[in-house]
Amino acid sequence: MNTGSHMRVGLFVFDGAEELDVVGPYDVLSSWAQHSALRPEVVTFSADGAGVRCAKGLCLVPDRSADDVGPLHVLLYPGGQGTRALAADPEHLEWVRRMRATTPLLVSVCTGALVYAAAGLLAGRPATTHWAAFDELATFDPSVLADTEARFVDDGDVITSAGVSAGIDMALHLVARLESVDMARGVRRGIQYDPAPPV
């Protein structure tokens, strides 16, 4: 696949996407793009290029539509309540399968995994999702090897992450995988991400 001279990461956005599922990884990946000699390009896109309203009301204006986003190295699919309608939409699932055929690495955050499962992309594979969505995941595909403990699961050409803030962890892992651990550590320091929740 020829995707041009540099790495391209596309974040698919849609009505009902969970805000942090989108902007958490976007901030990590955009910070990486600003400092990397690899010059990765990070773009957002919606089905038709129109703006979307996220789950809690944040409105986003994407860079592109699905038709003109072009070839990607990485497709990132966030979660949120909007995934339920998309997971039940045969045309959308066919689009996801077409993206699978041309995109080396598919990534999901939270209930984005439900759409991948509905499209048949997680059959017999280890995967994770939001802690409250494992029953739904099994409904879409009972063959998925659900990991209820991991923050993210890297299964080669598919990476799934647990809910919401876990997308940040996954995105940092993605930077380490695509470039280096040192770069991921630099991005983590730059965004001052050092979670230590109260006990």
Side-chain angles (χ1 to χ4, degrees), residues 108-147:
S108 68
V109 181
C110 195
T111 56
L114 302 182
V115 178
Y116 285 175
L121 305 185
L122 300 181
R125 304 182 70 150
T128 192
T129 187
H130 190 278
W131 62 266
F134 282 103
D135 287 346
E136 287 180 275
L137 185 65
T139 298
F140 283 113
D141 187 344
S143 77
V144 176
L145 306 174
D147 187 332

Side-chain angles (χ1 to χ4, degrees), residues 54-95:
C54 294
K56 297 181 178 72
L58 178 68
C59 293
L60 298 175
V61 179
D63 300 310
R64 314 264 172 86
S65 71
D67 286 340
D68 65 11
V69 70
L72 300 172
H73 291 88
V74 181
L75 168 64
L76 191 150
Y77 202 116
Q81 283 300 319
T83 57
R84 278 58 173 197
L86 293 168
D89 181 340
E91 289 185 14
H92 182 71
L93 296 179
E94 184 54 37
W95 172 81

Side-chain angles (χ1 to χ4, degrees), residues 41 59 75 79 82 95 112 137 140 146 149 156 161 165 171-172 181 185:
E41 180 185 5
C59 293
L75 168 64
W95 172 81
L137 185 65
F140 283 113
E149 301 298 324
S161 84
S165 65
L172 288 166
V181 171
R185 287 173 177 160

